[in-house]
Amino acid sequence: MNESAAVCPDTAYRRYLRVVFLSLLVLSVPLCTNFIFLRHADEITGYPELIRRQRDQGTLYGSGLNSTFFRYKLQLVRDVRPDVIAVGSSRVMQFQTRAFRASFVNAGGAANTLNETRMFLDEMFRFHRPKLILMVLEFYLFNSRFFEPDSYPDHFYDETEITRDKLLSPFAWLATGKVPPRLYAQIVLGDIPSARGTRWPAMGINAIENAMGFYPDGSYFYGGFFQGLSVQDVKFSNTLERIHEGKRRFEYGTDIDAKRISELREIIAVCRQNKVQLILFLPPVAPAVLRCMQEMSEQYQYVDRLNTYLRSLDIEYYDFRDARSLGGSDCEFIDGFHAGNTMHYRMLQWVLKNRPHSALIPYLNAEVFSPIVAQYTGHAMVPEDPGKLNFKEVDFLQIGCSKDSDVVSAIKP
Amino acid sequence: MTVTGFYWLGSRNQKRGALLWLTVASLVFYAWWRPVNLLILLLSVCVNFLLGRIIRNRLLANLSMTKPLLAGILFNVLLLGFFKYTNFFIENLNFVFHQDIPGRSIVLPLAISFFTFTQIAYLIDCSQDRCAGYNFLDYVLFVSTFPHLIAGPIVHHRQLISQFSNQDSFRFRPRSFALGCTIFLVGLFKKAVLADHLALFANTVFSLASHRFPLTAGEAWTGPLTYTLQLYFDFSGYSDMAIGSALLFNLVLPLNFNSPFRAVNVIDFWNRWHMTLTRFLTDYVYNPIVLSITRRRLAAGKKLMSRTSLDIEPFMVLVAFPMLVTMFVSGVWHGAGWQFIIFGMLHGSYLVINHAWHQVQRRMGQDPSQSSKAGRQVARLATLMAVMIAMVFFRAPDVKTAWFLIRSMFGSHGLSLPHGMAAHAAFLKALGIQFRGFVTPESGLNTNEVLPWTISLFAIAWFVPNLYYWIQDHTTDFQLPSGDVFASWWKAFRWQPSIPWAVSTAVLGVVAVLSMLSGVREFLYFQF
């Protein structure tokens, strides 16, 4: 390099270099700290390792970064190799292992549309064929106005990859108060607290701070809602607004969409080809929400047509939309269209009582239903291990539900 | 580690050891992605070195070196042709002869176009007694030095190998290191933050075009606009990184970009864009053709060109033909596909027209290099438009997609204007013009993102002096060839080894590294 142009002494350039490298170091420190935080909070731990630890230690897993569960649930199925799986969206996530005498995985949240369900089943059948699939059918999936993507890039999301957004997320959490500074410091130092309000070990910041996450069987625990830490659908206002405005899953429609029906038929066919028993059901909505939809039945004609169509199929199918017909109430819902654990026990109990020839019967753990339903009537939550809960469910929907009964230690796991 | 080892050996007067260390590091770097590529690189290097030796020995013995030179050129062309053009050749064979020969699964070795070109130049120079008797280590390092190996700048052997013998190159020099760090980090920022963000818009438009989505004119123009910017920030960013990392070893690489969007015509553009390729094509393709034709014409007593001549025949033979051949080679070098050939020929045509216009101007007694300030701005805009249209072919996956996009750019699928203009220009509705935003929601593009990014980055590329202007008080190694004149107040912002500059450079580096952790990370010119 030509020396003639130097206008500053070497010391100036040396000082410049020192400042550059010092600045790089200083700027890197918070990012490195965030990396340690994410690593300690298991936000960048791979699914195989997560699931192994969940199953070994009974850990609750709730990520603050990952909200797609396709690969997580596939990995769970791969590890457990269950006889029974529940497949569908978040509306199936409340089925729990103890309802079944056979091995069980809840794959809820992994298959949110019909073509995604097909993808999930195709992937799963490559390495495992369960004996029975309990599949939730969302009424809105059959409305052409509900968008169904052609592809799902999130399926290829690598949970272990360090990305810019991941590295910066802890700053946003600190700024918005989602993670208090004290908790941040605690996690960085490697002292990982239990899921909030419980004594369950937790992985993922959502499980740690909000007590929201998956149990080792894949079912979901809405601990934050049950404790009243956050509220989402007070008096079902959010759901009712969707209905009144005909948006976000509650789009209006007259006819069922032929393309979606064809996708369902393919799912049924692929299960038959793989000799897997398939049971379909329409899940419950809160009675207040169902009432509203019935009042606007003109706008939701396609739902009844769907029900009629499903009944005509040569397959075991249940219409559980009406929670009251199962003995449930608004109080047993997490929000307007997500039934809680108790309602899920009610559905299975109904099959047990009323459909003795159902393919489901041999797999059900008949003894648990009556005591659980009796004990948790009016509650959305049926905790996996009540002895480790430090709270009682509150009236988080604020609809005047009485949650006074002492359910914490009534049921032994 | 490489830098530390290099200067540690240098400080112990182990000059050859330091060069060997840098060579090994460069070869490891090259082999990292696909180790088998290293064999191809080493084969190419060994064969060319041996042929260079043979040519030089024959030259010294006054023997003909035509055969070894032709053998060398043939070897390089075949090597490049096999890896880069086999499938293109098969496709065309199938098309012309209605055959169904299956394509081959060939992985293009990284940088094969770059190291093939530099070595052809070396062989030609050897045949013309323009290369010294380099030793093998110097030669391997010249071809494989990691800063320039992957995507240029295309380095001339004399330019680089002469630096290997400079004792000062092995001594740690704070100025060189400080400039190297700064240039590298700014380049990384240009690539990782600016170019990669623009890729999101460009990819969307070209993908929509490939699916024959009926793009409005505004949407269609977004494609070449953002892609042209993306390619500039991507490739010039990479070149900066190459120049910066070479400076860490006291090696000076040639400039590759000099504010190309300030070009006032296409000739000027190619003197500022991928400058080392232009220089190579001029020296090793254009000039030899012109020289050969000139000699033949002189021998045949035919007329040559004068600066003010308007004779068509000598212009076509001595300017147009060599120019079109040169740009054809440029197009083929850039990629295997008819769209690259069209890209090259389009630029060849631009250059021919540009030269013809200059002839006309000179004939009219005007100086082509002189124009009014407003005239220069209009010329810049016209040049940019021409470049962008050619870029459509450069980026599109095939000719049909390129043509579809160009038709869309000129309104074949209508024009949509911003909503706010509806009240003032309602009469345009009768002409079929919509008022649904510069880009429509169906395209997936977001006007609020596309416009600010595009406008601000064009403004930077157009009005802000480039990095080498900022550092020119501290080095004379990067001579800016064009006479761009910037407002004097820019001088206040020139680079200094000061604390604010140091902190700013570090911030750019950290932001760039963070950006690299998301999204697109491939350097566009890696494929060449």
Side-chain angles (χ1 to χ4, degrees), chain A residues 193-207:
Chain A
S194 306
R196 190 162 172 187
T198 76
R199 274 173 279 142
W200 287 320
M203 293 191 290
I205 197 64
N206 207 19

Side-chain angles (χ1 to χ4, degrees), chain B residues 306 308-315 356 359-361 363-364:
Chain B
S306 76
T308 54
S309 160
L310 280 182
D311 288 348
I312 290 179
E313 194 268 341
F315 178 82
Q359 286 292 106
V360 172
Q361 282 185 301
R363 175 79 176 181
M364 290 161 64

Side-chain angles (χ1 to χ4, degrees), chain B residues 7-85:
Chain B
Y7 286 119
W8 181 75
L9 289 165
S11 68
R12 298 168 72 90
N13 285 326
Q14 296 288 326
K15 192 184 128 193
R16 304 305 296 170
L19 291 178
L20 185 63
W21 172 250
L22 187 55
T23 307
V24 170
S26 297
L27 296 177
V28 169
F29 172 76
Y30 184 75
W32 199 263
W33 176 60
R34 201 163 169 265
V36 73
N37 284 351
L38 185 60
L39 296 177
I40 298 160
L41 173 69
L42 289 176
L43 171 76
S44 170
V45 167
C46 291
V47 169
N48 280 293
F49 179 75
L50 282 174
L51 285 169
R53 270 287 163 94
I54 292 168
I55 290 169
R56 190 173 155 73
N57 288 341
R58 292 181 73 85
L59 184 78
L60 293 175
N62 273 329
L63 295 169
S64 164
M65 60 254 151
T66 311
K67 280 183 185 170
L69 176 64
L70 285 178
I73 292 173
L74 195 65
F75 166 76
N76 284 298
V77 170
L78 286 177
L79 189 72
L80 183 64
F82 172 75
F83 284 105
K84 200 162 177 174
Y85 304 108

Side-chain angles (χ1 to χ4, degrees), chain B residues 30 35 51 91 143 319 381 440 488 514:
Chain B
Y30 184 75
L51 285 169
E91 272 173 33
V143 178
V319 177
L381 202 60
T440 61
S488 56
L514 274 175

